[in-house]
């Protein structure tokens, strides 16, 4: 039951950075088990695992086995790669002057802030979603490469908001579409993301707007819920699903 922070000589846990939240999981030793609720990086090279002693006891110097919550990590990977696709799609639709202004990559959703003086039209939001889903359907392999910072930037890699880069950097590329500097976790191919659904677009500050979206299981659940809602409405109105807007307008007229 004791709260604890653990530092290991090496770890597969991802420490919160660049908008991606930290991993959860367990650390086991010969004498105890620790449930890890968060992993963070107070400095670029230091990973701290925060959790609670769930069984027995632990002590400094023990050998440990680490296990990440794999399904949670996979959901985060889907949302992180989708964020890169979304960033590029926004620049295609709104113009190359559009830049990232913040992000959140969580297992249940993604949030992306970007610079824009005007709100997006419904057609622009739809177009962005279409571009992202088209890239997902292409199932392009996602590649990573370690390069010198100067070489990466010269090669067209885009630096992400809020990140501090050293002399060497990791380049995440979706060939033919996106190249960014990023230390986060990503899917092996874009098809692993599954469906991409935009759920909100709005203003968060002067000149900054925000898109929230879902991928994978969360996107599927939302689409099925919306389908069931439309079908229930159609049945109650005694029309086909495509006639629901017209039926609602007729009721409003009355």
């Amino acid at each position: 039951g004791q709260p604890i922070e653990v530092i290991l000589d090496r770890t597969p846990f991802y420490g919160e950075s660049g908008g991606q939240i930290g991993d959860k999981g367990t650390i086991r030793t010969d004498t105890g088990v620790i449930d890890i609720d968060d992993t963070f990086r107070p400095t670029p090279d230091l990973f701290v695992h925060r959790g609670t002693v769930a069984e027995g006891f632990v002590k400094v110097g023990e050998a440990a086995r680490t296990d990440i919550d794999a399904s949670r990590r996979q959901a985060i990977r889907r949302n992180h790669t989708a964020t890169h696709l979304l960033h590029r799609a926004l620049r295609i639709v709104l113009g190359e002057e559009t830049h990232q202004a913040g992000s959140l990559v969580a297992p249940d959703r993604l949030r992306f802030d970007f610079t824009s003086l005007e709100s997006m039209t419904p057609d622009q939001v739809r177009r962005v979603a279409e571009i992202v889903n088209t890239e997902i359907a292409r199932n392009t392999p996602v590649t990573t490469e370690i390069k010198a910072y100067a070489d990466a930037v010269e090669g067209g890699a885009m630096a992400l908001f809020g990140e501090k880069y050293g002399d060497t950097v990791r380049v995440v590329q979706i060939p033919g579409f996106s190249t960014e500097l990023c230390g986060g976790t990503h899917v092996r191919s874009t098809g692993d993301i599954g469906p991409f659904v935009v759920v909100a677009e709005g203003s968060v500050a002067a000149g900054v707007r925000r898109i929230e979206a879902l991928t994978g299981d969360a996107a599927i659940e939302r689409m099925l819920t919306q389908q069931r809602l439309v079908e229930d409405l159609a049945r109650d109105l005694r029309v086909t699903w495509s006639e629901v807007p017209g039926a609602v307008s007729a009721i409003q007229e009355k």
Side-chain angles (χ1 to χ4, degrees):
Q2 182 177 357
I4 189 172
E5 291 183 350
V6 179
I7 298 170
L8 304 172
D9 64 338
R10 57 192 184 277
T11 179
F13 280 70
Y14 182 84
E16 182 170 351
S17 178
Q20 179 177 331
I21 65 175
D23 278 324
K24 294 184 179 183
T26 58
I27 296 178
R28 299 176 182 271
T29 72
D30 289 340
T31 61
V33 177
I34 308 166
D35 287 338
I36 301 301
D37 300 319
D38 186 27
T39 310
F40 63 99
R41 295 166 62 184
T43 67
D45 298 323
L46 186 65
F47 289 71
V48 180
H49 311 76
R50 178 180 288 155
T52 305
V53 179
E55 298 177 20
F57 64 93
V58 293
K59 56 187 179 181
V60 173
E62 283 189 292
R65 171 184 171 86
T66 59
D67 290 292
I68 294 171
D69 183 335
S71 61
R72 181 177 181 274
R73 162 71 78 87
Q74 179 61 12
I76 291 172
R77 291 168 64 191
R78 285 195 295 263
N79 284 333
H80 202 156
T81 306
T83 298
H84 284 220
L85 294 177
L86 174 59
H87 190 187
R88 181 59 190 145
L90 284 167
R91 289 168 64 85
I92 291 172
V93 173
L94 301 180
E96 295 296 330
E97 68 278 4
T98 302
H99 293 285
Q100 180 179 344
S103 68
L104 171 69
V105 179
D108 58 336
R109 71 193 190 283
L110 68 89
R111 188 179 72 208
F112 190 83
D113 297 347
F114 58 97
T115 56
S116 179
L117 297 177
E118 299 180 355
S119 61
M120 294 181 68
T121 67
D123 284 343
Q124 286 175 326
V125 174
R126 190 178 305 110
R127 178 61 182 144
V128 164
E130 287 174 351
I131 291 172
V132 172
N133 279 293
T134 297
E135 288 302 314
I136 290 171
R138 289 177 59 208
N139 198 28
T140 306
V142 179
T143 65
T144 60
E145 187 178 3
I146 304 299
K147 286 186 174 183
Y149 177 81
D151 293 340
V153 173
E154 185 178 346
M158 181 175 296
L160 293 182
F161 173 83
E163 283 287 290
K164 295 180 180 179
Y165 300 101
D167 294 335
T168 59
V169 293
R170 182 165 171 263
V171 180
V172 177
Q173 185 174 32
I174 301 162
F177 191 76
S178 168
T179 305
E180 297 189 12
L181 305 185
C182 181
T185 60
H186 290 272
V187 297
R188 289 183 174 85
S189 299
T190 56
D192 296 339
I193 296 170
F196 172 90
V197 177
V198 175
V199 298
E201 190 277 335
S203 174
V204 291
V208 178
R209 302 194 67 80
R210 172 175 293 169
I211 278 185
E212 297 188 34
L214 305 174
T215 66
D217 295 341
I220 292 171
E221 181 179 355
R222 181 181 176 89
M223 290 190 295
L224 291 176
T225 299
Q226 289 177 325
Q227 179 182 349
R228 184 166 59 249
L229 176 63
V230 172
E231 289 173 347
D232 289 346
L233 282 172
R235 184 171 57 254
D236 291 343
L237 294 170
R238 298 181 180 179
V239 296
T240 65
W241 69 267
S242 61
E243 295 171 330
V244 167
V248 171
S249 296
I251 292 173
Q252 289 175 324
E253 287 283 336
K254 292 180 180 180

